[in-house]
Amino acid sequence: MNRAAILGTGSCLPRRVLANTDLEKMVDTSDEWITVRTGIRERRIAGAGEETSRLAAEASRRALAMAGVSAEEVDLIIVGTMTSEKAMPSCACLVQKELGAVNAFALDVNAACSGFLYSLDVADKYILANPAMKVLVIGAENLSARINWQDRSTCVLFGDGAGACLLTGASDGRGLLGSRLMADGRLWHLLHMDAAPSLNPDLIPEDYAGPYIRMAGQEVFKYAVRAMQDGVAQVLAKVGADPAEVALVIPHQANIRIINSLGDRLDIPAEKIYINVHKYGNTSAASMPIALDEANREGRLAPGDLVLFCAFGGGFTWGAAVLRW
Ligand code: ACO
């Protein structure tokens, strides 16, 4: 049976590091508050030449190099993002141009922090239909451009970056065993980001307060833990696996307390959960592919390992996936 297997991974982070101690000089916060409540110690901030599509393209180059596949061989580019530098064209089209992937078609998926998971699932469907396809799946964000830097409740949480992986069909047991995606748009107001205001004054809401990320942190926290636990239980049941069989969990990196709560509820030991939120903060759709690439390059993944992904984000969107490495 053919499955969508990962041939190579890559990631790219902006050069500029913004530490908690830097934030202490910008808003009324402290390194201790941020570290204890979130686990975040520093994050990366994109500058000139580090637009979302550029970070995405560099992460993709690294994934292609690892896979030994040329840009011309790529058939499809999918970018999970909500912060591309342009509303049109898609980030995926800009990546296609940057890479010279002239034979690929290209599309973006906006599922907020679940964007990589949703993109992986779309790629899986194309590959199941045509196993020869080579698909680049990318998560890339420039969240620092959409943060109210006077709002201490959000500005300490987010960072920029991109991660990518190249997938194609494999019939040797490797690949995506299953995924379970969910959404509840009724709860959109708990975590959202307005677009740029309409040019039609009739359509500008009276309470428009700028195109910033806004979040009801405590409520998001509670939903995130429960929803990811549910997503993981459903996907493990779907593929017939037990939590004890999972070799490595790669969760969305939003908050160390969410990740630890999830680990406790699933009874998965800390050493089986990959964590890099201390270095990059919450990079939304980019967080899981960056973590996957780092885990891969650190040798944390062995052939045959069962890898579990789970994410939660604005929408609400959430879900989980299981992959045989
Ligand atoms: N520095 C210092 N104090 C702060 C800061 C800050 N940066 N931010 C808020 N506070 C204060 C608040 O004003 C409040 O003060 P008060 O008690 O005097 O009113 C106090 O700290 C507690 O605030 P809470 O919001 O209750 O703090 P909480 O413990 O809930 O932590 C946090 C906030 C970290 C945002 C947490 O709710 C959280 O992680 N939520 C989930 C967010 C998330 O991870 N989402 C992931 C999915 S969404 C996505 O990835 C885009």
Side-chain angles (χ1 to χ4, degrees), residues 27-30 33-34 37-38 82 112-113 152-154 156-158 191 213 215-221 224 252 254-255 257-258 282 284 312-314:
V27 286
D28 181 15
T29 192
S30 68
W33 192 97
I34 302 169
R37 302 274 177 143
T38 71
M82 56 177 175
C113 302
R152 69 177 182 172
S153 71
T154 53
V156 303
L157 302 176
F158 300 99
L191 174 54
I213 295 173
M215 176 168 69
Q218 283 191 359
E219 288 181 78
V220 172
F221 192 103
H252 170 46
N255 183 315
R257 291 187 298 139
I258 293 180
N282 180 348
S284 190
F312 180 87

Side-chain angles (χ1 to χ4, degrees), residues 14-20 22 41-45 279:
R15 285 177 294 274
R16 184 177 164 211
V17 175
L18 188 73
N20 291 348
D22 299 319
R41 293 189 172 275
E42 58 189 39
R43 68 286 294 142
R44 299 298 180 92
I45 305 294
K279 294 192 290 184

Side-chain angles (χ1 to χ4, degrees), residues 86-323:
K86 289 190 183 293
M88 181 186 71
S90 67
C91 188
C93 282
L94 299 174
V95 171
Q96 187 230 24
K97 181 220 135 211
E98 279 283 318
L99 295 179
V102 289
N103 297 308
F105 65 106
L107 61 104
D108 286 359
V109 170
N110 179 349
C113 302
S114 310
F116 177 74
L117 202 61
Y118 270 57
S119 300
L120 203 57
D121 191 68
V122 175
D124 180 52
K125 303 299 176 284
Y126 275 102
I127 289 170
L128 290 184
N130 180 358
M133 275 184 87
K134 293 189 170 53
V135 184
L136 261 177
V137 176
I138 305 162
E141 302 283 10
N142 180 11
L143 296 161
S144 67
R146 305 303 298 273
I147 284 166
N148 178 351
W149 288 99
Q150 267 102 55
D151 175 9
R152 69 177 182 172
S153 71
T154 53
C155 76
V156 303
L157 302 176
F158 300 99
D160 304 331
C165 56
L166 184 81
L167 296 108
T168 194
S171 55
D172 55 3
R174 284 180 301 150
L176 201 65
L177 303 184
S179 57
R180 178 79 176 101
L181 304 182
M182 288 166 273
D184 189 345
R186 291 171 299 184
L187 301 171
W188 70 267
H189 53 281
L190 296 176
L191 174 54
H192 63 106
M193 177 172 76
D194 282 348
S198 171
L199 297 178
N200 176 349
D202 296 344
L203 295 180
I204 301 175
E206 276 176 23
D207 61 350
Y208 181 75
Y212 306 123
I213 295 173
R214 272 172 282 178
M215 176 168 69
Q218 283 191 359
E219 288 181 78
V220 172
F221 192 103
K222 278 183 271 174
Y223 270 101
V225 175
R226 277 196 306 247
M228 283 198 283
Q229 181 189 13
D230 184 44
V232 167
Q234 289 200 38
V235 83
L236 288 176
K238 187 174 167 181
V239 305
D242 188 85
E245 294 173 55
V246 173
L248 191 67
V249 184
I250 299 191
H252 170 46
Q253 310 279 320
N255 183 315
I256 192 69
R257 291 187 298 139
I258 293 180
I259 297 172
N260 288 343
S261 301
L262 189 67
D264 289 346
R265 284 167 180 237
L266 297 171
D267 204 18
I268 293 180
E271 61 272 18
K272 285 189 175 185
I273 304 178
Y274 193 84
I275 290 169
N276 63 6
V277 68
H278 54 291
K279 294 192 290 184
Y280 308 130
N282 180 348
T283 58
S284 190
S287 90
M288 290 201 305
I290 293 171
L292 173 66
D293 182 47
E294 293 197 340
N296 189 17
R297 288 173 194 269
E298 287 164 17
R300 296 277 303 267
L301 297 164
D305 275 357
L306 215 55
V307 185
L308 173 67
F309 298 94
C310 54
F312 180 87
F316 287 153
T317 57
W318 70 97
V322 180
L323 182 132

